[in-house]
Amino acid sequence: MKKILTVFILLTGFSAFSQGLTLEKNKTKEIKLENGRFYINGTQIPSYEMKKVFASNLHSVKLYKEAKSKEAIGGTLLGLGSAMTLVDLAIGLFSNVKYPTVLTYAGLSAIAVSIPILSGRASKINEAVKSYNDELKNTTAANTNFDINALVNQNGVGLQIKF
């Protein structure tokens, strides 16, 4: 009985998941950037999937990768600097050591270096989205809705042409 119930639950889950799949072509849509989140047709797209979305536009991919690397480097420096400053503060408070040591100054300098690095990432992401949307507008205006498919079914072989 357990096996039958398990198989039934798995099959129900697979069939429920498959209802979301569509067979139509994925047509590229305009990306909207609101509050640092990406939206396509009102659906939020995670930032780790945006590289796949930008794949059709090399300039946008380049800008997006630059922004993400700036975010990683700046975030690492900010976190490392904050941690060094707080550790030195804790050591100064709980032990009998002269407080501002080299660790505090190194932490503050890491924080100061991270600020200009982090400041440029938002503009690069905005530029990547703008570049992607501009190219999308230019290509959709030039394209015609023309599609040819080869079909094979029980009735034979044929060509399907959509205008």
Side-chain angles (χ1 to χ4, degrees):
M1 185 65 186
K2 279 184 177 179
K3 290 180 182 180
I4 294 173
L5 186 60
T6 304
V7 169
F8 178 72
I9 289 173
L10 285 174
L11 289 176
T12 305
F14 287 140
S15 66
F17 176 73
S18 67
Q19 296 302 313
L21 301 177
T22 59
L23 296 177
E24 64 185 90
K25 281 187 170 181
N26 293 334
K27 296 182 180 178
T28 54
K29 303 287 183 178
E30 187 172 325
I31 298 172
K32 292 181 183 168
L33 182 65
E34 297 174 2
N35 299 328
R37 294 187 175 106
F38 299 99
Y39 294 95
I40 297 177
N41 290 339
T43 305
Q44 183 179 350
I45 307 297
S47 63
Y48 60 87
E49 288 185 8
M50 287 309 296
K51 202 183 314 181
K52 295 175 189 172
V53 174
F54 286 135
S56 64
N57 186 339
L58 295 178
H59 182 65
S60 295
V61 169
K62 179 181 169 261
L63 289 172
Y64 185 73
K65 283 182 179 180
E66 287 176 6
K68 283 302 187 180
S69 61
K70 279 184 145 225
E71 182 178 350
I73 292 169
T76 302
L77 284 174
L78 182 66
L80 188 64
S82 299
M84 287 193 302
T85 305
L86 288 175
V87 164
D88 195 36
L89 176 66
I91 290 172
L93 286 175
F94 298 119
S95 67
N96 206 9
V97 178
K98 184 180 173 188
Y99 164 58
T101 63
V102 175
L103 196 60
T104 299
Y105 297 122
L108 290 175
S109 63
I111 291 171
V113 168
S114 72
I115 292 171
I117 292 174
L118 286 172
S119 66
R121 70 179 171 84
S123 63
K124 288 206 179 275
I125 289 177
N126 287 335
E127 190 178 342
V129 170
K130 184 179 180 297
S131 171
Y132 178 82
N133 288 339
D134 288 345
E135 183 181 318
L136 188 64
K137 288 175 186 173
N138 291 341
T139 58
T140 55
N143 286 348
T144 59
N145 294 334
F146 183 75
D147 192 22
I148 298 176
N149 292 320
L151 300 175
V152 178
N153 59 21
Q154 71 265 14
N155 295 331
V157 179
L159 284 175
Q160 178 186 25
I161 302 173
K162 292 183 183 178
F163 295 97

